[in-house]
Amino acid sequence: NAGVTQTPKFQVLKTGQSMTLQCAQDMNHEYMSWYRQDPGMGLRLIHYSVGAGITDQGEVPNGYNVSRSTTEDFPLRLLSAAPSQTSVYFCASSYSPESNQPQHFGDGTRLSIL
Amino acid sequence: AQSVAQPEDQVNVAEGNPLTVKCTYSVSGNPYLFWYVQYPNRGLQFLLKYITGDNLVKGSYGFEAEFNKSQTSFHLKKPSALVSDSALYFCAVRDSSGGSYIPTFGRGTSLIVHP
């Protein structure tokens, strides 16, 4: 039972480069989301999706794009990496947005922008 | 709007002593409340939740939390701390009454259990 799988685990980029952080879940969850975690800031929501084909912005969406073509996958794209995007990124999923079920988190992608 | 406050950045406790990690919340309607734990280099793991019913909720690893509606609090507790409980703990709230279904997380409390 894989749960939520994030790849890569670590990545170093140069300013201006683009990349995609992958997230996949095998629990048939409708709701998926991306957070960034920075020291002293807790978790901040970047983008979320309530189902295939439906995405919306969270608290800190600038510089990031998402798409949801399947229920399982929810990739996060950095369009032009900036040092301020150095962070740990977590993907999470839950059964449905209206449910009272907890979220399942991946183990994160640690991203450094030079 | 909903919000969560974890007033302590860090809690220190000796092994074997009881521990409390504090959380207060604000929602328009009735809350769904959650506690998660994060170990180094790992994602958040669910510990316990309050939906409705008994104010004392029991969860994983011997943790429990007490829902107090009048004080809008949901403090995490454990009767006897272990060194292995040292981790980062997050409280989260969601309004069950409609509106936004996106949970709001606190900033986290680092629990350090000393041998």
Side-chain angles (χ1 to χ4, degrees):
Chain A
N1 193 359
V4 178
T5 302
Q6 291 185 238
T7 55
K9 294 188 184 302
F10 305 93
Q11 185 70 49
V12 179
L13 292 177
K14 295 180 179 179
T15 297
Q17 287 184 313
S18 62
M19 81 160 292
T20 299
L21 280 62
Q22 301 292 345
C23 175
Q25 52 91 8
D26 61 357
M27 297 170 283
N28 201 32
H29 284 169
E30 293 182 13
Y31 182 74
M32 296 185 74
S33 54
W34 277 102
Y35 294 88
R36 59 178 291 173
Q37 184 179 26
D38 303 291
M41 303 292 288
L43 293 173
R44 291 185 290 171
L45 182 65
I46 304 171
H47 285 284
Y48 64 96
S49 169
V50 299
I54 306 170
T55 64
D56 208 343
Q57 297 181 351
E59 179 186 358
V60 288
N62 292 341
Y64 307 95
N65 272 357
V66 291
S67 60
R68 184 99 179 266
S69 56
T70 67
T71 299
E72 295 78 17
D73 300 300
F74 190 43
L76 178 72
R77 297 182 186 84
L78 278 69
L79 309 173
S80 177
S84 61
Q85 294 177 305
T86 293
S87 188
V88 182
Y89 291 85
F90 290 98
C91 179
S93 73
S94 63
Y95 183 65
S96 76
E98 298 87 4
S99 81
N100 58 30
Q101 296 304 306
Q103 295 189 78
H104 296 251
F105 285 80
D107 280 338
T109 294
R110 285 146 187 85
L111 184 62
S112 292
I113 315 295
L114 304 178
Chain B
Q2 61 193 28
S3 64
V4 174
Q6 294 183 240
E8 301 154 318
D9 290 336
Q10 185 171 302
V11 170
N12 291 277
V13 64
E15 187 173 34
N17 283 1
L19 69 88
T20 300
V21 181
K22 295 179 180 177
C23 172
T24 58
Y25 68 90
S26 174
V27 293
S28 301
N30 293 317
Y32 290 154
L33 291 155
F34 304 85
W35 274 104
Y36 294 84
V37 61
Q38 184 182 30
Y39 298 104
N41 300 314
R42 299 297 303 275
L44 278 67
Q45 298 175 31
F46 169 70
L47 272 180
L48 51 79
K49 67 180 180 182
Y50 171 81
I51 303 302
T52 188
D54 276 345
N55 290 341
L56 187 62
V57 178
K58 294 187 183 297
S60 306
Y61 312 121
F63 283 92
E64 58 190 26
E66 186 170 10
F67 171 66
N68 188 316
K69 188 172 184 177
S70 63
Q71 297 186 4
T72 61
S73 67
F74 189 56
H75 301 331
L76 181 70
K77 300 181 180 184
K78 188 173 182 182
S80 179
L82 300 173
V83 171
S84 58
D85 292 330
S86 298
L88 190 57
Y89 291 81
F90 289 93
C91 182
V93 68
R94 186 166 82 71
D95 193 334
S96 69
S97 307
S100 174
Y101 41 73
I102 301 170
T104 298
F105 284 84
R107 293 194 170 191
T109 298
S110 177
L111 174 66
I112 300 174
V113 182
H114 303 277

